[in-house]
Amino acid sequence: MKFAVFAVLAIIGFAYAATCNDTVIVSNQTLTENVTLDAGSSVGCYIVSAENVTIDCDGYSITGDGTGNGIYSDQNGTQILNCQLSSFESGIIIVSSGNIIVSSGNSINNTNTTDNSHSGLMLYGEIVPVENNTITSSAFSGSDYGIEDSTSGLASYNTFEDVSASSNGTAVMLILGYEGF
């Protein structure tokens, strides 16, 4: 029985190492060092899978290998603070992907994404809206799309304040039926 308890503790300890590989976040996290994506990740670095979780990078960086996502959330109340994300397919993805989940009340503050191959920030929803999110004091640069709204018109009441999207192929991309930020 002691061995089983030790194995669980080892897995939990590994999730907070300086590398990440589809690391599931279910509680508030503050980085204490720069983080690099392990090769072979299927989704990306951090996957937020609980409501009202804060990821505070405290100025540290999260660096990918050109694939996956830096931070992926399909939960309400996700806060992403003080992060520097680079070299992913998409730096940050906020998703609404089912009939129940409505990605709402998320905030991104003092966060920058650079040199991601697809997008710095993507709002994505297929069935339900991505709404009432706040993005402040952040910059999205060096990607195909700085900010991408792939919600087919399901994004509404999102606030962007003191945000820049420069040096991208396209600064802001809106897809079909756009109602407004």
Side-chain angles (χ1 to χ4, degrees):
M1 187 65 168
K2 289 181 183 178
F3 178 75
V5 171
F6 174 76
V8 169
L9 292 175
I11 290 170
I12 291 170
F14 178 76
Y16 303 104
T19 59
C20 61
N21 188 2
D22 300 338
T23 302
V24 175
I25 303 293
V26 295
S27 62
N28 295 340
Q29 299 295 315
T30 300
L31 295 186
T32 58
E33 60 187 328
N34 294 328
V35 176
T36 303
L37 179 69
D38 280 342
S41 169
S42 61
V43 175
C45 195
Y46 293 120
I47 303 163
V48 178
S49 64
E51 291 191 349
N52 303 313
V53 167
T54 298
I55 298 175
D56 185 347
C57 295
D58 200 24
Y60 290 103
S61 65
I62 302 173
T63 305
D65 64 357
T67 64
N69 310 300
I71 299 174
Y72 172 98
S73 176
D74 61 2
Q75 301 294 315
N76 294 326
T78 299
Q79 293 189 47
I80 301 169
L81 309 172
N82 308 309
C83 295
Q84 309 298 319
L85 294 108
S86 63
S87 301
F88 290 95
E89 185 174 333
S90 293
I92 300 169
I93 296 186
I94 304 296
V95 176
S96 230
S97 61
N99 290 319
I100 298 171
I101 297 169
V102 177
S103 192
S104 178
N106 300 300
S107 64
I108 299 169
N109 189 337
N110 195 32
T111 294
N112 302 312
T113 67
T114 57
D115 301 324
N116 296 290
S117 62
H118 184 75
S119 61
L121 168 65
M122 178 190 287
L123 302 176
Y124 182 82
E126 294 176 347
I127 300 169
V128 293
V130 177
E131 61 186 14
N132 299 316
N133 300 294
T134 303
I135 295 87
T136 57
S137 303
S138 298
F140 306 97
S141 63
S143 302
D144 286 344
Y145 308 102
I147 301 169
E148 180 180 358
D149 171 7
S150 291
T151 61
S152 300
L154 295 173
S156 58
Y157 308 107
N158 294 297
T159 303
F160 289 76
E161 183 177 309
D162 191 27
V163 173
S164 67
S166 61
S167 301
N168 298 291
T170 302
V172 178
M173 182 176 76
L174 309 172
I175 298 179
L176 300 172
Y178 173 71
E179 293 180 20
F181 286 112

